[in-house]
Amino acid sequence: MTDPNAIQPSELDQLPDRDPEETAEWQASLDAVAKAAGPHRAAYLMRRTLERAEGTGVALPKLLETDYVNSIPTAAEPAVPGDEEMERRITAWNRWNAAAMVTRGSKYGVGGHIATFASAAWLYETGFNHFFKGKDSPDAPGSGDQLYIQGHASPGIYARAFLDGRLNEQHLDNFRREAGGGGLPSYPHPRRLPWLWEFPTVSMGLGPLSAIYQARFNRYLTNRGIKDVSASHVWAFLGDGEMDEPESTAALALAAREELDNLTFVINCNLQRLDGPVRANFKIVQELEAQFRGAGWNVIKTLWGSAWDELFALDTTGALVRRLREVPDAQVQTYQTRDAAYIREDFFGKDPALVEMAKLLSDDKILECFHFSRGGHEPRKVYAAYKAALEHKGAPTVILAQTVKGHTLGKGFASKNANHQMKKLSVDEFKQLRDLLELPISDSQFVDGVVPYGHPGADSPEVRYLQERRAALGGPAPARRVHPVAPLPAPAEKAFASFDKGSGSQNVATTMAFVRLVKDLVRDKETGRRWVPIVPDEARTFGMESLFPSLGIYSPKGQTYEPVDRDQLMYYKEARNGQILNEGITEAGSMADFIAASTSYATHGEPMIPFYIFYSMFGWQRTADQMWQLGDQLGRGFLVGATAGRTTLTGEGLQHADGHSPVIAATNPAALTYDPAFAYEIAVIVKDGLRRMYGEAAPGEDPNVFYYLTVYNEPLPQPAKPSGLGIDEGIVKGLYRFNTAESAGLSVTANAPRIQLLGSGTAIHWALQAQKLLAEEWGVAADVWSATSWSELRRDAMEADAALLRGEERVPYVRQALQGAEGPVLAVSDYMRQVPDQIAQWVEQDYSSLGADGFGLSDTREAARRHFGVDAQSIVVAALAQLARRGEVKASAVKEAREKYGL
């Protein structure tokens, strides 16, 4: 049996040891210290040695965890500039009003959260008073800092905006009551309150992910020479429970790898998530410290307030530090709610040295430490952490600030498991809060049991101080500002018109057509540099490798190696000013890139034109939550779902077969979803999108939209654009007639049965084949329509319905387009039938549809289409069946066709 105490083989055994005798002496010294002074003393000496090695530049791995104490000793804390007493009074008013607005709103049943801001108040107030740059900051003009506010803390931000005059009592009373106008959204929602909120954050996990990519995009803008935003700092305020979301930590390595020292995470470690402790039997701070240190971040722990200084001074044996590290979080939460006797027994009674220490402490001192004194509740501690974060270079910083959830709200709130769901305080609890905060609010102001708002006056010292501090930092924050910039000039018409003539005999997939269009647009002298191509490690799949040498792949370090394909025309070129963001295999990261670029027009006053191309199956399916975040943040740009459709990606199978992304996209009010069939349609759609989002939007058009285009990997001939008026309008609105049986040169009689075939995307090619079969084999005339956007047709029709209810006469465009079209309508797409069925209720003709419902499968395109019943022959049978029901063809024709085509 192996002796467990024996020295095990080490990786160091394979390295040369120039002086084994010296090595043995060091090991013997360590053994002697451990034996004489104990293992804790030995560990302390080793840590001191490692610390010295790091300070002198000796390359050694860092420890992943440190003791459960503050990273910045009290003696090293800088003095807080400004008037600390004034800032305490300001914070008191904000605490009061945050609690008051939620409580007052509770009578309407609209909810709200009190406990989060109560724990985090000083984390925000210290930043607002001393650190967060506004849009008018001379250091970061037009940009300021980017603040990702924890969603559940929004009442505290509203309370501060009330104090500085940006909101009034009526606004606060309309918290979560927006329908009548003038209300305040529940959480940071830029679309609902666009002058205040910049970043939506309450879909937890998306805030930290977006903050990392925003900091990265700031560097991208600077390195590409678009705008120098190197003085802008990104602050992300997060909850310790939020860090369980995979998106919260998905990009930590990216931030460290690219040395994003313009980024600080502030994690409010109140040890509670929504239903209870974050790590009941463990310590979340230690876990997060190890995770962030392992990823390469600078970690600052701000755990204990100044009341603990006396206890640490008494800890001559290290017993206190050891005990703090071993107590699980749920027990720390319990201490916050129990009396001094319990704490003496349970905390101090576990170690004789701590028993002796406790004899020197009064009950009041013990309660002060365990009930109130947390690092995140003291501005001096928070200021020291923020200052150290800004001064640290070469890596992002995370501040782990320990607080008490529900701090100052009384025994009924503080550290209670249910406090996230507690929406109000009683009058008596408010009076206790008033006394604790020392606010001049009299009992008589509680009229009919309604808690009053508190305000010291517009010309009070508190308000003047607050406004002066913000003025010195560049204006109010948070704040969103759309800068008055001229519309971007339209690219040269040549780039779009080149697709009008078609591809002749050459087969071209619509994916490649889009890439060719973008390749021309990025060459435009006026707007080319504003394009931001984003791809999640599939550039070669989408035929984008031709952009590598011309645009370059963004890398903050440039290219420090010689690429293996350097001698090839389309070699892999990285550059510090590279234009392409090639993110690796991360749809979430690519989407975060897109959000940062698509909102640059507001964040930095620099409109950028991002296009993000991805497997359509893996885009909306994986990141629809981020697409919603994009719409909420008023982002603009082009999302491109490539290798689209359920049957076009041969052999890949179920997980790659997209039959539903347009359905998901249709749920997003900001998404304009198009399924173009031909290259010239793509050109028209992109041209119109550039006009609407970046040029001159028409009256009533919202420029704060984004486009979702599905494109295909199936090489097919691209026809010339049909002549005639209204083609471009039809493409943009969602439907136009591509041809008739007669214009297609098919021989049909004058009185032949007629049907209208509507197809989108690649399905229009099956419709065209069916059109020919119907004419040649069944004597049926079919007209073929290109339905470029089912969802835009539906959206227009719904608006027409709403107008009718207002007494306005308006006919849906789909009905106008199909007016007078003879025969029934049969719609088909490469998606589930729900996609074309979006317009069914507004089509006056008999309507039916075909689609690829169910799970995908691996096979050839032809076999897959036959399986789903959407190929040309299946369309013919469905068309004959529809006509037979109307008595326009013999019923026997349907059976005959099925047998003829083997269906």
Side-chain angles (χ1 to χ4, degrees):
M1 180 179 293
T2 302
D3 181 0
N5 297 316
I7 301 298
Q8 299 298 313
S10 165
E11 64 190 47
L12 298 176
D13 293 341
Q14 61 194 314
L15 303 180
D17 187 347
R18 293 185 304 175
D19 193 338
E21 185 175 346
E22 181 185 38
T23 303
E25 289 175 357
W26 276 76
Q27 292 172 328
S29 298
L30 178 63
D31 292 342
V33 171
K35 183 176 181 180
H40 298 294
R41 176 61 180 171
Y44 176 81
L45 290 175
M46 289 301 300
R47 286 182 55 194
R48 278 294 190 188
T49 303
L50 289 172
E51 183 180 70
R52 174 57 62 89
E54 182 180 346
T56 56
V58 177
L60 286 173
K62 293 183 179 180
L63 293 175
L64 294 185
E65 285 188 38
T66 60
D67 285 323
Y68 204 67
V69 296
N70 293 347
S71 300
I72 303 173
T74 299
E77 293 169 359
V80 179
D83 189 331
E84 292 188 49
E85 173 57 24
M86 187 69 73
E87 293 176 17
R88 185 197 67 78
R89 296 206 300 270
I90 290 170
T91 304
W93 285 115
N94 291 338
R95 287 183 182 278
W96 176 273
N97 288 320
M101 68 184 294
V102 176
T103 297
R104 286 167 67 121
S106 65
K107 66 180 180 180
Y108 301 105
V110 295
H113 301 285
I114 303 176
T116 294
F117 178 73
S119 67
W122 277 114
L123 301 180
Y124 290 106
E125 292 298 324
T126 302
F128 286 131
N129 288 326
H130 300 287
F131 293 96
F132 304 157
K133 293 185 285 291
K135 295 291 185 183
D136 296 320
S137 167
D139 296 329
S143 298
D145 285 350
Q146 287 78 60
L147 309 180
Y148 288 78
I149 304 295
Q150 191 179 359
H152 296 125
S154 62
I157 308 304
Y158 290 139
R160 196 169 215 274
F162 170 64
L163 201 64
D164 72 13
R166 292 195 290 167
L167 295 175
N168 56 37
E169 288 192 14
Q170 184 178 359
H171 289 123
L172 300 192
D173 269 344
N174 282 333
F175 174 56
R176 293 193 169 201
R177 298 171 63 212
E178 301 178 80
L184 299 180
S186 52
Y187 303 121
H189 292 308
R191 187 169 287 274
R192 289 299 181 206
L193 201 62
W195 59 266
L196 180 73
W197 299 119
E198 276 199 290
F199 308 108
T201 53
V202 84
S203 185
M204 289 188 284
L206 300 190
L209 179 68
S210 292
I212 289 174
Y213 280 90
Q214 181 65 57
R216 194 283 193 91
F217 187 74
N218 289 357
R219 290 280 172 85
Y220 173 89
L221 285 179
T222 300
N223 288 337
R224 286 199 54 220
I226 302 292
K227 182 180 181 181
D228 184 355
V229 292
S230 55
S232 287
H233 200 83
V234 178
W235 302 81
F237 289 84
L238 318 168
D240 47 359
E242 182 178 5
M243 300 311 294
D244 283 344
E245 287 283 7
E247 294 89 352
S248 295
T249 54
L252 298 187
L254 165 73
R257 182 171 66 247
E258 299 203 0
E259 301 178 355
L260 298 181
D261 50 24
N262 60 339
L263 170 67
T264 297
F265 277 15
V266 181
I267 303 182
N268 178 18
C269 297
N270 57 34
L271 314 185
Q272 288 184 247
R273 52 188 178 198
L274 306 189
D275 289 328
V278 178
R279 292 290 185 273
N281 298 295
F282 306 93
K283 301 191 80 63
I284 185 61
V285 168
Q286 299 300 93
E287 179 182 318
L288 291 175
E289 178 184 28
Q291 193 169 14
F292 278 87
R293 283 188 186 275
W297 286 53
N298 175 45
V299 178
I300 298 174
K301 294 197 289 192
T302 303
L303 307 179
W304 307 111
S306 56
W308 284 83
D309 289 349
E310 179 182 342
L311 276 66
F312 287 123
L314 294 172
D315 185 28
T316 57
T317 66
L320 175 63
V321 172
R322 292 195 297 273
R323 182 66 179 138
L324 288 174
R325 186 165 184 170
E326 70 187 20
V327 175
D329 283 352
Q331 193 63 22
V332 173
Q333 183 183 359
T334 298
Y335 292 149
Q336 208 282 328
T337 65
R338 302 300 291 271
D339 59 22
Y342 177 87
I343 298 171
R344 284 182 186 277
E345 179 180 353
D346 192 85
F347 181 83
F348 292 97
K350 304 296 184 182
D351 188 295
L354 294 180
V355 171
E356 295 302 312
M357 179 188 294
K359 293 177 181 179
L360 304 175
L361 304 174
S362 67
D363 285 357
D364 287 344
K365 182 66 175 180
I366 289 175
L367 293 179
E368 180 186 10
C369 288
F370 284 84
H371 284 194
F372 304 108
S373 189
R374 300 289 190 274
H377 295 324
E378 296 191 11
R380 185 183 181 97
K381 306 288 185 185
V382 176
Y383 181 89
Y386 287 5
K387 188 172 186 292
L390 291 181
E391 291 174 350
H392 185 84
K393 301 303 177 186
T397 293
V398 60
I399 297 169
L400 304 174
Q402 186 164 264
T403 66
V404 173
K405 193 169 185 177
H407 181 61
T408 73
L409 298 181
K411 295 181 179 180
F413 260 86
S415 283
K416 297 296 184 182
N417 281 338
N419 60 19
H420 184 75
Q421 304 301 331
M422 296 162 68
K423 311 300 182 186
K424 60 182 179 180
L425 279 71
S426 68
V427 170
D428 286 341
E429 287 172 326
F430 265 109
K431 290 179 179 179
Q432 294 171 12
L433 177 63
R434 171 199 62 190
D435 296 341
L436 176 66
L437 299 177
E438 300 178 352
L439 292 173
I441 298 173
S442 65
D443 288 353
S444 62
Q445 291 178 259
F446 290 81
V447 179
D448 297 328
V450 177
V451 59
Y453 293 120
H455 199 293
D459 197 40
S460 64
E462 292 93 334
V463 173
R464 288 201 306 271
Y465 181 90
L466 181 155
Q467 293 175 341
E468 288 169 0
R469 291 304 311 140
R470 290 310 315 157
L473 289 165
R480 181 179 182 275
R481 182 184 301 174
V482 178
H483 303 263
V485 295
L488 294 182
E493 182 64 26
K494 180 181 178 181
F496 305 104
S498 63
F499 292 87
D500 290 353
K501 60 185 179 181
S503 63
S505 60
Q506 182 183 8
N507 290 335
V508 177
T510 51
T511 298
M512 184 54 65
F514 179 84
V515 172
R516 287 183 182 178
L517 174 62
V518 170
K519 192 172 182 179
D520 289 339
L521 292 175
V522 295
R523 294 193 184 109
D524 185 83
K525 293 182 179 179
E526 296 291 336
T527 60
R529 71 191 189 110
R530 296 192 177 275
W531 283 86
V532 183
I534 302 167
V535 60
D537 200 38
E538 289 283 1
R540 298 184 192 278
T541 300
F542 307 138
M544 291 176 59
E545 66 269 27
S546 61
L547 299 178
F548 288 170
S550 58
L551 301 184
I553 300 165
Y554 173 73
S555 169
K557 292 186 177 297
Q559 193 154 35
T560 60
Y561 61 92
E562 183 177 352
V564 66
D565 54 358
R566 183 63 180 86
D567 57 340
Q568 298 179 15
L569 182 63
M570 293 183 285
Y571 71 98
Y572 196 83
K573 177 186 176 183
E574 296 188 79
R576 195 164 183 265
N577 63 347
Q579 195 164 348
I580 301 169
L581 293 174
N582 192 347
E583 285 304 344
I585 305 175
T586 167
E587 284 83 6
S590 299
M591 195 63 216
D593 265 336
F594 187 90
I595 292 171
S598 70
T599 54
S600 180
Y601 73 93
T603 308
H604 296 300
E606 291 290 344
M608 304 297 287
I609 311 171
F611 80 87
Y612 164 33
I613 188 166
F614 50 86
Y615 266 94
S616 62
M617 182 68 171
F618 302 145
W620 283 91
Q621 174 174 283
R622 283 187 171 169
T623 58
D625 194 15
Q626 286 177 282
M627 310 289 186
W628 198 267
Q629 178 191 12
L630 166 65
D632 194 359
Q633 200 167 319
L634 291 80
R636 306 170 183 175
F638 297 95
L639 298 175
V640 183
T643 59
R646 182 146 278 164
T647 69
T648 61
L649 195 56
T650 56
E652 289 288 352
L654 185 154
Q655 289 189 338
H656 286 66
D658 171 24
H660 58 277
S661 72
V663 177
I664 306 174
T667 66
N668 193 310
L672 277 60
T673 304
Y674 287 89
D675 187 26
F678 305 125
Y680 67 80
E681 293 177 352
I682 293 174
V684 170
I685 293 165
V686 171
K687 179 182 177 182
D688 192 70
L690 291 173
R691 175 200 61 79
R692 177 170 178 171
M693 295 184 292
Y694 299 96
E696 295 285 357
E701 278 187 328
D702 183 4
N704 299 314
V705 295
F706 59 93
Y707 284 63
Y708 175 52
L709 280 70
T710 48
V711 294
Y712 299 83
N713 71 323
E714 186 172 9
L716 291 165
Q718 295 297 324
K721 184 177 179 180
S723 58
L725 298 175
I727 297 296
D728 285 10
E729 179 188 23
I731 292 171
V732 172
K733 289 189 172 183
L735 182 67
Y736 69 97
R737 183 157 50 194
F738 176 72
N739 71 11
T740 64
E742 292 78 8
S743 66
L746 300 174
S747 177
V748 291
T749 62
N751 60 349
R754 188 172 289 272
I755 190 169
Q756 308 299 318
L757 300 180
L758 277 58
S760 69
T762 195
I764 202 169
H765 296 280
W766 321 331
L768 290 168
Q769 294 169 31
Q771 178 190 45
K772 184 177 181 181
L773 291 174
L774 282 166
E776 295 177 351
E777 300 182 7
W778 305 98
V780 173
D783 301 338
V784 176
W785 300 69
S786 180
T788 53
S789 179
W790 308 100
S791 61
E792 283 305 291
L793 292 173
R794 175 180 175 82
R795 186 170 289 166
D796 170 79
M798 292 174 66
E799 291 172 357
D801 285 354
L804 286 173
L805 293 176
R806 296 192 300 267
E808 304 171 17
E809 288 295 327
R810 181 173 166 188
V811 179
Y813 174 78
V814 64
R815 189 170 296 165
Q816 294 177 44
L818 291 171
Q819 187 174 14
E822 299 178 30
V825 170
L826 176 60
V828 61
S829 79
D830 202 16
Y831 301 95
M832 55 199 300
R833 288 177 60 183
Q834 187 174 339
V835 174
D837 284 352
Q838 291 179 82
I839 67 169
Q841 73 184 82
W842 292 282
V843 176
E844 293 181 315
Q845 294 89 339
D846 291 342
Y847 187 91
S848 65
S849 64
L850 297 174
D853 285 78
F855 289 111
L857 75 168
S858 301
D859 214 310
T860 64
R861 294 186 181 109
E862 294 76 15
R865 286 162 189 168
R866 176 57 59 92
H867 171 81
F868 285 111
V870 293
D871 61 350
Q873 292 79 11
S874 297
I875 294 173
V876 169
V877 172
L880 293 174
Q882 202 169 357
L883 290 168
R885 286 194 297 269
R886 296 162 56 90
E888 297 180 24
V889 300
K890 294 179 180 180
S892 60
V894 181
K895 180 181 179 182
E896 184 182 346
R898 281 202 306 267
E899 293 174 350
K900 178 181 178 68
Y901 301 132
L903 295 174

